[in-house]
Amino acid sequence: MRQAEIKRKTQETDIELAVNLDQQEPVAIETGVGFFDHMLTLFARHSRISLTVKAEGDLWVDSHHTVEDVGIVLGQALRQALGDKAGINRYGTSFVPMDETLGMASLDLSGRSYLVFEADFDNPKLGNFDTELVEEFFQALAFNLQMNLHLKILHGKNSHHKAESLFKATGRALREAITINPEIHGVNSTKGLL
Ligand SMILES: [Mn+2]
């Protein structure tokens, strides 16, 4: 089983997070930030992984530390669970429509970290979640998972739809990338290492 569990406590957040890439249950997210819980639940369902998150952050400041730190820990846990990445597809791409919005995620579990993010949100807040944190989250995720991640809203209007299409597309692209492909022997790189 490809799984990992991480506990991380700082002055700003206290996080317990577990992932299992080879089973789909349980999914249970509690961060104190409703919209973020909604996004992480979608992400887990569309990547078909088990994900549990218990985060207690300094929400009296704002939701920044909580969202960013969950991104860091999720990236670390996924990377740990992937191990040597033998036999996985490595790449994944997904387009996800949501009513008027179309979002895209394309990623490579290359061992190198890079985020390209092309999305704007008209609405600065969704509940107690600041929409600028969508980029912060994916930056933390990409850097700690050591993945090359491209996210783009091709068109759209509604801020909730835009954020949701990016989380769903990333989940679906990740599922493709982490899937073990019987045609791939060893690591899917001419370098022999990912
Ligand atoms: Mn929604």
Side-chain angles (χ1 to χ4, degrees):
M1 285 277 205
R2 298 177 294 170
Q3 56 188 313
E5 192 178 345
I6 295 181
K7 289 182 190 179
R8 179 183 189 268
K9 191 172 160 58
T10 70
Q11 304 278 15
E12 295 168 348
T13 60
D14 188 351
I15 296 169
E16 285 183 35
L17 184 149
V19 294
N20 189 325
L21 310 186
D22 298 312
Q23 67 182 41
Q24 300 186 30
E25 300 289 344
V27 172
I29 320 283
E30 258 178 79
T31 68
V33 184
F35 184 77
F36 189 42
D37 289 358
H38 180 37
M39 293 300 108
L40 290 176
T41 304
L42 299 168
F43 170 81
R45 290 298 181 204
H46 284 268
S47 56
R48 300 200 297 279
I49 63 172
S50 165
L51 173 65
T52 58
V53 183
K54 234 181 147 125
E56 283 178 34
D58 53 1
L59 296 179
W60 55 89
V61 178
D62 64 12
S63 54
H64 194 123
H65 301 140
T66 302
V67 172
E68 184 176 20
D69 289 2
V70 168
I72 290 170
V73 177
L74 178 59
Q76 289 172 344
L78 288 170
R79 184 164 162 251
Q80 206 175 301
L82 277 167
D84 66 3
K85 305 180 195 164
I88 64 167
N89 281 320
R90 173 183 168 182
Y91 293 96
T93 296
S94 175
F95 289 82
V96 170
M98 257 208 88
D99 297 348
E100 86 297 343
T101 293
L102 181 63
M104 181 218 68
S106 189
L107 61 87
D108 176 13
L109 298 172
S110 59
R112 298 189 310 278
S113 305
Y114 207 97
L115 173 71
V116 175
F117 187 88
E118 290 182 24
D120 303 303
F121 302 96
D122 290 339
N123 192 346
K125 273 196 171 280
L126 296 159
N128 63 342
F129 178 91
D130 303 299
T131 48
E132 65 183 16
L133 297 177
V134 175
E135 183 170 0
E136 295 296 315
F137 170 80
F138 284 116
Q139 175 83 9
L141 181 69
F143 273 66
N144 288 277
L145 176 49
Q146 296 185 347
M147 106 177 122
N148 181 191
L149 175 63
H150 291 243
L151 295 175
K152 187 176 170 83
I153 294 295
L154 287 94
H155 49 259
K157 253 183 143 149
N158 182 281
S159 298
H160 187 125
H161 291 164
K162 287 179 179 174
E164 191 161 331
S165 74
L166 293 180
F167 276 86
K168 282 178 172 169
T170 303
R172 299 180 75 83
L174 186 69
R175 167 43 58 191
E176 186 183 342
I178 65 178
T179 294
I180 306 264
N181 182 337
E183 291 174 8
I184 296 169
H185 303 290
V187 166
N188 191 8
S189 166
T190 51
K191 278 191 282 194
L193 187 76
L194 279 176

